[in-house]
Amino acid sequence: MAAPTWWLDVLPLSLLAGVIGLDVVSFPQAMISRPIVAATLGGAFVGAPMSGLVCGAALECLALEALPVGASRYPEWGSASVVAGAVAATGASAGSMPLAGAFAVAVALGIATAWIGGLTMIKHRQIIASFARPRLGQLAAGNRNTVVGLQVFGMTLDLVRGALLGALCFIPGSLLAARVNGRWSVPEDLSRAIVVTCVAAVAAASVWKDFHAISGTRRLFLISLAVGTLMVVLGA
């Protein structure tokens, strides 16, 4: 990522992080907040979608460990993956793999940003609750303006939350990735292999846990594996 254009990336990436963050819970929950999608978009916004895709695949393995179901607390992978995908593209060209230093920084930054994002989501819900509490009577009566106003307020606040999170984490992350790229001495292939092995171990543990906890998971996994393999073979 060239230094003169660095600031030009902040605003669109922040807006993208906000929109993707909305998809996690608020709207429309269309799976665009999954790391493999969000990170690819983040990398594409700075001109290196392949680097974003590789980073997103790594983060997707980690995201399998925690599913956003019910009232459980979980990392906010949507906005975090946008940031990580963009940081992974530091120094990379359009169709190339991420540089080893930027890749390592991006994955670590994605984990940290997702954790911070999870805390901001808790604060987001607390603010909505404080906003709704004085209006409980109107909500119970089904007052249309109150219901719509609360929904719009919540989604707007969530958009701002994701955008601010994206900007505040992308700025130091991109600077750190550029610096690490210039000093990284571990061979590229070995560096990527270490990161991939770590995230693959987390993914394998998550799948193994699901095999024993959810009925029918093994059958669905084998069917999905067969279908995916067939698509790859036919596409080749």
Side-chain angles (χ1 to χ4, degrees), residues 17-218:
V19 172
I20 295 296
L22 270 175
D23 180 72
V24 176
V25 172
S26 297
F27 179 84
Q29 293 189 314
M31 302 296 285
I32 59 174
S33 57
R34 295 305 304 178
I36 197 167
V37 178
T40 302
L41 291 174
F45 261 55
V46 296
M50 180 59 70
S51 295
L53 174 61
V54 172
C55 180
L59 293 178
E60 189 71 50
C61 292
L62 300 176
L64 292 173
E65 177 61 26
L67 296 177
V69 177
S72 62
R73 295 186 179 184
Y74 46 86
E76 200 268 88
W77 289 107
S79 302
S81 297
V82 171
V83 173
V87 170
T90 303
S93 57
S96 67
M97 296 281 286
L99 298 180
F103 183 42
V105 169
V107 172
L109 180 67
I111 296 171
T113 306
W115 178 75
I116 296 171
L119 298 179
T120 64
M121 290 183 70
I122 296 173
K123 188 63 178 179
H124 170 252
R125 291 167 182 171
Q126 291 173 344
I127 294 174
I128 292 176
S130 65
F131 184 81
R133 196 169 293 114
R135 300 166 176 80
L136 288 178
Q138 299 171 17
L139 292 171
N143 185 287
R144 181 180 182 277
N145 290 335
T146 303
V147 173
V148 172
L150 183 61
Q151 289 177 329
V152 172
F153 172 75
M155 287 191 291
T156 303
L157 185 62
D158 201 15
L159 177 68
V160 173
R161 177 201 64 79
L164 289 176
L165 178 67
L168 293 176
C169 292
F170 170 70
I171 292 172
S174 61
L175 293 174
L176 178 61
R179 187 173 184 84
V180 169
N181 277 341
R183 297 172 176 269
W184 197 263
S185 58
V186 181
E188 296 274 327
D189 291 342
L190 178 60
S191 299
R192 295 194 190 99
I194 292 173
V195 175
V196 170
T197 300
C198 291
V199 299
V202 174
S206 302
V207 172
W208 182 258
K209 180 175 64 176
D210 289 343
F211 281 174
H212 292 80
I214 304 174
S215 177
T217 300
R218 300 183 187 187

